[in-house]
Amino acid sequence: MWRAQRRGPMESTPKSPIDYIETAEQKRLNDAREQGIPWKKWGPYLSERQWGTVREDYSADGNAWDYFSHDQSRSRAYRWGEDGLAGISDDKQQLCFALTLWNGCDPILKERLFGLTNSESNHGEDVKEYYFYIDSTPTHSYMKYLYKYPQGEYPYWNLVETNRRRSREEMEYELLDTGIFDENRYFDVFVEYAKADSEDVLVRISVHNRGPEAAHLHVLPTLWFRNTWSWAAGKPKPVLGQIDENKIRASHLQLGDYTLQCEGAGELLFTENESNASRLWGQPNPSPYVKDAFHQYVISGARDAVNPSKTGTKAAVHYVLEVPAGGSKAVRLRLSARPASDAFGTFDKIFDSRLSDANEFYERITPKQLSEDERRVHRQALAGMLWSKQYYYFDLDRWLIEHDSHPMVGSGKGSTRNADWFHMLNSDVISMPDKWEYPWYAAWDLAFHTIALSLVDFDFAKEQLLLMLRNLYAHPNGQIPAYEWNFGDVNPPVHAWATLFLYRIETELGRADIRFLERSFQGLMLNFNWWVNRKDPQGRNVFAGGFLGLDNIGVFDRSAPLPTGGYLDQADGTAWMAFYCQCMLEIALILSDYDPMYEEIAYRFFEHFAWIAYAMDRVGAHHDEMWDEGDGFFYDLLHFPNGDTMRLRIRSMVGLLPLCASTVVDRESLLLKHPRFIEMISLFRKRHPEVIQKIASAEDLDKGGYMGRRLLTTCNRPKLLRVLRYMLDENEFLSPYGIRSLSKYHLEHPFVFYLQGQEYKVQYLPAESNTGMFGGNSNWRGPIWMPVNGLIIRALLQMYPFYGPDFKVECPTGSGNYMTLFEVAKEIARRNASMFLRDANGHRPVYGGTRKFQDDPHWKDYILFYEYFHGENGAGLGASHQTGWTGLVARGLDLFVRLKAEDLLSAAKGEVAAKLTRQQVAGQKV
């Protein structure tokens, strides 16, 4: 591959955007990067669910949920990771710490969050607990978490059986529906962490009794080693041991020694983090001390279950607290590499200092113009992003050998999932979509995560983008891994856009990280070539990527062979590739400032883009293009084996995504800096005028846009106006809370396709899906999804500098109210954000009709950032903690109080990020 040579001194690695006002937390970030001080060594890197994952699945049929169940998790040692409640670990998850609770009623200790599998629920797998990520700094110098624990017996059986009996047409049965929180008979358990230094972590557990009577709670802060010794002979085994009555020493060959100091009269318990073979499989245990020993000791009173020699690989401090009605009790601990002689003398002072640092940090990065409630949503969204980090370990080479399914070693039997990813070795802290529902990375989710994460930690955001392009992640053929259940599936190619977004923000701050841009570009080139070679095998410049993250949006499962035979041309897949071309073109032009060879590469991406845009609507009435001139919308195109074609006339996000393939360029800047590029484009225009006409209308071609700018888009002016009429119609796509994934038109007019006596139907469903396609939590047939809303907003902001302030569209359609594209973008962002903000009645739409969340003072200000949202009332649906891409709401709140329409119009470059000045990014009032 190529290596750009900068025309001048190469800049050093840039600092984070808020360096200009160095808060205490920003200094930690800088020290971590520049001096190697491991401020991020300890963090919330523990999963919230390791059971039921592909990594732990050694079944014959690949049913991960059933093979390793929640019931087994307390007794069975994990192979590839650990999970816990409100937990932390080091960045290789060698030593773990988490909370264990028992209310005196439950049949098991509360060591981990409980939820339902796909087969147990009428609307897909889902965690059935209430917990909140309240606060975190980017180095995790301060973190706060809330878990709501019922005082009565947790209704495990009730949740499973009631949900299992319900049909897909019925509402999901939630924990609040069981009545377990009635009369406020529950504990609010706050878990806080504060760092005295990079390897000295203070822990404060505060238990509040919200009920009408005093209640007892067993609190067992638990320390254990991930089991690495059971899987390889001769692997050294770490050890935990009691030093004195309130100290535990943890000794690990690689990690070193740590000491857990425990305040108060807690009882120290020890066992081994090894499977209880007797309970699980009826086999004798090699040691009497097993993973679930604390269950036996605390609940059953089995004194011999724990090791009397006070040693092992799992330990807990057992406190029994009597908490008065309306009162609270606290437990304090300290985990240190160099234990303090007076562990608790300055404990509260350190906590106060770190909380003050967190407040200072967020005060600097949060726009002053935000209201108190907006600031609350902004901070909790970012806290959720930071809490959702997880150490992810998966050695596919080893895993496949253990399954006797390695294609290059051994029998290579069967069709074990991910068999062609045997090169893969993942061992990093990664931003997860949701640490319970999706405790594994997803490629396109991750790109959106970095957009929000860049508000607090630029280094981590860039590392995450580069991670997926590394040799140990990306396939040798260039494919980026999709997600654990099927790494070979295809996610939308959004990494180039995210890379460009982060680069532009830093460039505006005077710290162009050309190394980051070039490293990304090399990996992206391999991935782009994979797309061209694998997803357009006929070379027609149309793409069929499969489901492309939009799950059940189509009438057929687009990742499976079609029941009709033949194949699909996908409007969204083709639009994604047009967008990919635009981003790669822009990156290549930036790199051409350092090596003119990149100018030729930039032209190649322009040419790719032009042919893709042309393929979506070729000249002439062929009836086999994705643009439907009669309807004024883009559709997927179904090809039958006999050569016939049919547009699948479903008005969905598939047809809106071509809007996203829009990039504005400043013509004068191009002429001055890239004359060879302009020359090649002029030649292309002369040779292929029919192609250029599909990129821009005749009027726009002749005189350009506002200030002579040029626009690369798959939606020229006539198409844009027609598509926007649908998108901004409240009876079609425009919900009070953003853009729906399917037009409401299909509520009364479902799309129906009959084949061999079977009906295939797509109907508007504003909430959960009523079909089994893609399992539960897979509804793109009506709900609002934050990532695609974000890309539509970005597209409108791209087009605004081209069309200018005089170009207005009716918004909402039929209202008589006209807006510029900037104002439309701002309106969609406002509607998105309003889902989380209190309305005129003081209620948050995200919580729908759940009164506890709307009215109770101990619930109403804690925000959950769901996977997707009801298309009519904005209620949260799907995974309740998918702060990953829903965390984009923080970026949206941030953007529109900083960005002004005149900024975009006067900018030499239309990309939004380029107008965020260093004062603005630093959170200063402009």
Side-chain angles (χ1 to χ4, degrees):
M1 300 300 289
W2 308 279
R3 175 70 187 165
Q5 299 299 316
R6 187 183 176 97
R7 297 168 181 168
M10 185 67 77
E11 295 185 15
S12 61
T13 302
K15 297 181 180 180
S16 180
I18 52 177
D19 287 352
Y20 302 103
I21 306 171
E22 192 175 62
T23 62
E25 177 61 17
Q26 185 60 48
K27 186 177 188 305
R28 293 185 193 99
L29 285 169
N30 296 342
D31 287 347
R33 179 182 56 250
E34 297 164 8
Q35 300 181 40
I37 299 174
W39 277 108
K40 298 180 188 178
K41 182 173 182 177
W42 289 89
Y45 311 141
L46 199 62
S47 177
E48 286 168 351
R49 179 176 62 81
Q50 185 69 13
W51 58 275
T53 61
V54 168
R55 280 161 291 163
E56 303 297 338
D57 179 17
Y58 286 76
S59 65
D61 60 358
N63 189 334
W65 283 111
D66 290 345
Y67 175 75
F68 200 139
S69 65
H70 177 269
D71 180 64
Q72 292 179 333
S73 62
R74 69 179 183 274
S75 306
R76 186 170 177 173
Y78 293 123
R79 171 71 173 92
W80 296 99
E82 294 288 344
D83 57 18
L85 183 63
I88 62 171
S89 76
D90 65 277
D91 56 7
K92 292 299 178 184
Q93 205 177 91
Q94 297 164 111
L95 182 60
C96 308
F97 175 91
L99 183 63
T100 298
L101 302 168
W102 189 53
N103 57 14
C105 301
D106 285 356
I108 60 174
L109 295 182
K110 180 65 69 174
E111 284 187 290
R112 55 187 53 81
L113 299 165
F114 172 73
L116 303 183
T117 70
N118 250 326
S119 64
E120 292 174 334
S121 180
N122 60 331
H123 288 293
E125 64 272 28
D126 188 31
V127 68
K128 296 300 182 186
E129 308 269 14
Y130 297 115
Y131 59 103
F132 305 88
Y133 307 126
I134 299 175
D135 211 352
S136 181
T137 59
T139 66
H140 311 297
S141 59
Y142 177 77
M143 298 192 296
K144 189 174 185 179
Y145 178 109
L146 168 61
Y147 175 67
K148 291 182 175 288
Y149 188 36
Q151 293 173 3
E153 181 177 342
Y154 187 93
Y156 292 103
W157 182 89
N158 184 3
L159 286 166
V160 172
E161 291 305 312
T162 305
N163 276 289
R164 185 177 276 154
R165 287 195 302 267
R166 290 192 174 188
S167 72
R168 290 186 181 275
E169 304 296 333
E170 296 176 273
M171 294 291 290
E172 192 170 357
Y173 187 59
E174 301 291 0
L175 184 57
L176 273 170
D177 298 330
T178 68
I180 194 68
F181 288 96
D182 289 356
E183 298 181 317
N184 290 326
R185 294 182 182 274
Y186 69 93
F187 298 103
D188 268 341
V189 184
F190 292 91
V191 182
E192 295 174 276
Y193 298 96
K195 294 182 181 178
D197 63 39
S198 61
E199 297 190 85
D200 186 0
V201 183
L202 286 63
V203 187
R204 184 165 62 196
I205 302 165
S206 306
V207 180
H208 296 254
N209 180 359
R210 303 302 185 195
E213 300 163 0
H216 286 85
L217 180 65
H218 295 251
V219 178
L220 294 91
T222 305
L223 186 70
W224 74 100
F225 287 110
R226 176 165 59 89
N227 189 324
T228 56
W229 56 90
S230 294
W231 322 106
K235 185 82 171 178
K237 186 175 180 179
V239 63
L240 297 168
Q242 180 172 339
I243 301 173
D244 58 32
E245 62 182 12
N246 61 1
K247 291 181 184 177
I248 299 170
R249 175 170 292 153
S251 298
H252 189 282
L253 187 62
Q254 285 80 40
L255 189 62
D257 289 352
Y258 279 80
T259 300
L260 180 67
Q261 297 169 275
C262 321
E263 186 182 43
E267 180 185 11
L268 302 188
L269 307 177
F270 291 82
T271 188
E272 300 292 342
N273 183 20
E274 296 185 4
S275 296
N276 184 344
S278 175
R279 175 182 182 261
L280 294 166
W281 307 296
Q283 301 172 358
N285 287 321
S287 164
Y289 312 116
V290 289
K291 183 178 178 180
D292 58 8
F294 303 156
H295 293 264
Q296 301 172 49
Y297 181 86
V298 175
I299 296 176
S300 304
R303 307 292 297 182
D304 59 351
V306 298
N307 192 340
S309 64
K310 303 291 186 179
T311 187
T313 49
K314 180 179 178 181
V317 194
H318 182 201
Y319 298 96
V320 182
L321 307 181
E322 182 177 1
V323 190
S328 66
K329 291 286 181 69
V331 170
R332 304 192 301 179
L333 308 99
R334 190 165 183 169
L335 180 64
S336 312
R338 296 169 297 279
S341 57
D342 182 8
F344 302 102
T346 59
F347 188 97
D348 291 338
K349 183 178 180 181
I350 293 170
F351 252 101
D352 291 344
S353 178
R354 292 299 170 265
L355 177 55
S356 177
D357 292 347
N359 291 336
E360 178 193 36
F361 178 79
Y362 279 102
E363 182 65 23
R364 290 288 170 82
I365 71 164
T366 305
K368 301 292 189 295
Q369 301 95 320
L370 295 185
S371 69
E372 179 186 357
D373 200 37
E374 288 171 328
R375 294 169 77 86
R376 180 181 294 111
V377 171
H378 186 270
R379 185 160 173 172
Q380 289 188 36
L382 294 173
M385 297 295 309
L386 293 167
W387 267 95
S388 294
K389 295 179 183 180
Q390 179 185 318
Y391 172 72
Y392 184 88
Y393 178 45
F394 201 5
D395 183 343
L396 260 295
D397 188 67
R398 174 55 53 192
W399 188 83
L400 288 166
I401 289 173
E402 292 169 352
H403 283 71
D404 195 21
S405 299
H406 198 298
M408 310 300 289
V409 180
S411 67
K413 67 176 183 180
S415 55
T416 303
R417 59 163 52 98
N418 298 322
D420 57 343
W421 289 79
F422 58 87
H423 73 283
M424 181 181 278
L425 173 60
N426 297 170
S427 178
D428 293 279
V429 172
I430 307 177
S431 177
M432 297 291 143
D434 176 315
K435 289 204 295 186
W436 192 93
E437 176 99 27
Y438 307 103
W440 25 262
Y441 60 85
W444 81 304
D445 299 57
L446 189 60
F448 289 104
H449 298 186
T450 65
I451 304 304
L453 283 166
S454 64
L455 285 167
V456 289
D457 190 349
F458 245 86
D459 294 334
F460 183 71
K462 292 190 294 185
E463 289 163 5
Q464 294 294 289
L465 286 178
L466 291 172
L467 202 60
M468 293 299 112
L469 303 174
R470 287 175 50 190
N471 290 334
L472 293 177
Y473 284 78
H475 198 280
N477 64 20
Q479 185 179 9
I480 291 174
Y483 48 86
E484 184 179 276
W485 287 87
N486 184 0
F487 286 122
D489 219 329
V490 186
N491 276 186
V494 289
H495 272 64
W497 159 70
T499 296
L500 194 58
F501 186 95
L502 299 190
Y503 173 80
R504 282 216 170 102
I505 292 178
E506 287 200 310
T507 299
E508 181 63 22
L509 300 170
R511 297 186 307 275
D513 191 351
I514 197 66
R515 286 193 178 97
F516 160 69
L517 191 66
E518 188 179 23
R519 285 177 64 194
S520 295
F521 189 76
Q522 307 303 335
L524 290 166
M525 280 287 288
L526 289 171
N527 179 247
F528 183 87
N529 290 334
W530 176 86
W531 269 92
V532 170
N533 293 326
R534 296 297 181 93
K535 296 303 175 182
D536 179 25
Q538 300 176 28
R540 298 184 302 117
N541 294 298
V542 294
F543 294 82
F547 86 112
L548 283 174
L550 307 189
D551 297 359
N552 61 351
I553 201 165
V555 66
F556 307 119
D557 180 349
R558 302 190 300 173
S559 287
L562 298 176
T564 61
Y567 61 93
L568 276 177
D569 290 343
Q570 291 181 218
D572 56 335
T574 308
W576 285 123
M577 282 304 288
F579 184 37
Y580 202 170
C581 288
Q582 291 173 348
C583 295
M584 293 295 279
L585 184 159
E586 292 191 71
I587 294 173
L589 286 178
I590 293 168
L591 292 173
S592 70
D593 288 342
Y594 305 93
D595 188 336
M597 178 186 63
Y598 281 97
E599 206 163 0
E600 296 276 349
I601 299 169
Y603 171 73
R604 182 60 64 196
F605 283 113
F606 166 79
E607 195 173 36
H608 266 300
F609 165 76
W611 286 113
I612 290 171
Y614 177 63
M616 296 186 78
D617 181 20
R618 296 191 302 280
V619 173
H622 298 285
H623 303 293
D624 62 352
E625 57 276 334
M626 285 163 271
W627 174 254
D628 189 307
E629 182 62 28
D631 286 2
F633 204 72
F634 290 96
Y635 300 115
D636 279 352
L637 191 67
L638 177 61
H639 291 260
F640 293 94
N642 66 359
D644 291 344
T645 59
M646 171 187 176
R647 291 195 190 99
L648 299 177
R649 286 186 167 86
I650 305 169
R651 291 206 285 272
S652 74
M653 188 59 67
V654 164
L656 295 183
L657 284 170
L659 288 174
C660 300
S662 301
T663 296
V664 68
V665 292
D666 184 78
R667 185 172 181 273
E668 296 305 316
S669 176
L670 277 176
L671 283 171
L672 292 173
K673 296 177 66 177
H674 308 289
R676 174 61 179 154
F677 179 72
I678 294 297
E679 180 184 339
M680 289 186 284
I681 290 178
S682 298
L683 179 61
F684 184 91
R685 181 177 177 181
K686 290 176 183 177
R687 295 179 66 203
H688 305 290
E690 75 285 1
V691 176
I692 295 297
Q693 288 173 8
K694 295 301 176 184
I695 300 176
S697 64
E699 177 188 0
D700 294 336
L701 277 172
D702 291 337
K703 63 180 183 180
Y706 186 78
M707 293 179 63
R709 294 183 177 117
R710 295 298 189 262
L711 180 68
L712 297 180
T713 183
T714 55
C715 277
N716 59 27
R717 188 185 296 251
K719 288 187 176 75
L720 174 66
L721 288 169
R722 299 187 71 183
V723 171
L724 287 182
R725 283 193 64 81
Y726 289 116
M727 191 181 85
L728 301 179
D729 188 335
E730 292 182 318
N731 294 313
E732 296 256 5
F733 287 100
L734 185 61
S735 158
Y737 303 100
I739 305 300
R740 303 176 177 108
S741 50
L742 185 75
S743 170
K744 193 176 179 179
Y745 168 84
H746 292 298
L747 176 63
E748 300 296 335
H749 306 88
F751 177 88
V752 181
F753 184 90
Y754 293 98
L755 179 68
Q756 298 175 351
Q758 184 172 349
E759 179 186 85
Y760 296 84
K761 183 167 73 172
V762 174
Q763 187 170 22
Y764 174 72
L765 299 167
E768 289 94 344
S769 176
N770 61 6
T771 76
M773 189 191 296
F774 278 83
N777 294 5
S778 300
N779 191 13
W780 284 80
R781 297 184 175 186
I784 299 155
W785 293 76
M786 196 65 75
V788 286
N789 271 251
L791 285 176
I792 288 170
I793 291 168
R794 177 258 175 204
L796 295 169
L797 294 177
Q798 279 285 305
M799 290 186 280
Y800 175 64
F802 176 81
Y803 287 110
D806 295 331
F807 180 86
K808 296 186 177 183
V809 295
E810 197 174 23
C811 181
T813 299
S815 67
N817 182 48
Y818 284 81
M819 296 183 181
T820 66
L821 296 183
F822 178 89
E823 291 167 336
V824 172
K826 192 170 184 177
E827 173 63 13
I828 295 171
R830 182 195 66 78
R831 292 184 183 220
N832 286 164
S834 70
M835 289 188 289
F836 306 97
L837 300 169
R838 289 183 186 145
D839 61 19
N841 297 317
H843 293 168
R844 301 185 192 279
V846 66
Y847 289 135
T850 308
R851 306 311 307 174
K852 196 77 170 173
F853 274 105
Q854 299 291 15
D855 302 326
D856 193 304
H858 298 302
W859 293 68
K860 66 180 183 179
D861 284 337
Y862 299 121
I863 319 298
L864 293 176
F865 300 87
Y866 286 83
E867 185 178 3
Y868 51 95
F869 302 86
H870 196 291
E872 299 303 311
N873 61 32
L877 302 166
S880 58
H881 288 73
Q882 194 159 355
T883 319
W885 59 21
T886 302
L888 285 170
V889 67
R891 175 61 76 176
L893 286 168
D894 190 86
L895 184 63
F896 280 101
V897 298
R898 304 191 195 281
L899 188 69
K900 308 301 179 189
E902 55 270 24
D903 292 339
L904 281 179
L905 291 178
S906 63
K909 185 68 192 141
E911 181 67 38
V912 175
K915 288 309 300 176
L916 296 179
T917 67
R918 61 185 69 196
Q919 291 85 6
Q920 289 173 317
V921 173
Q924 300 304 291
K925 186 175 181 180
V926 179

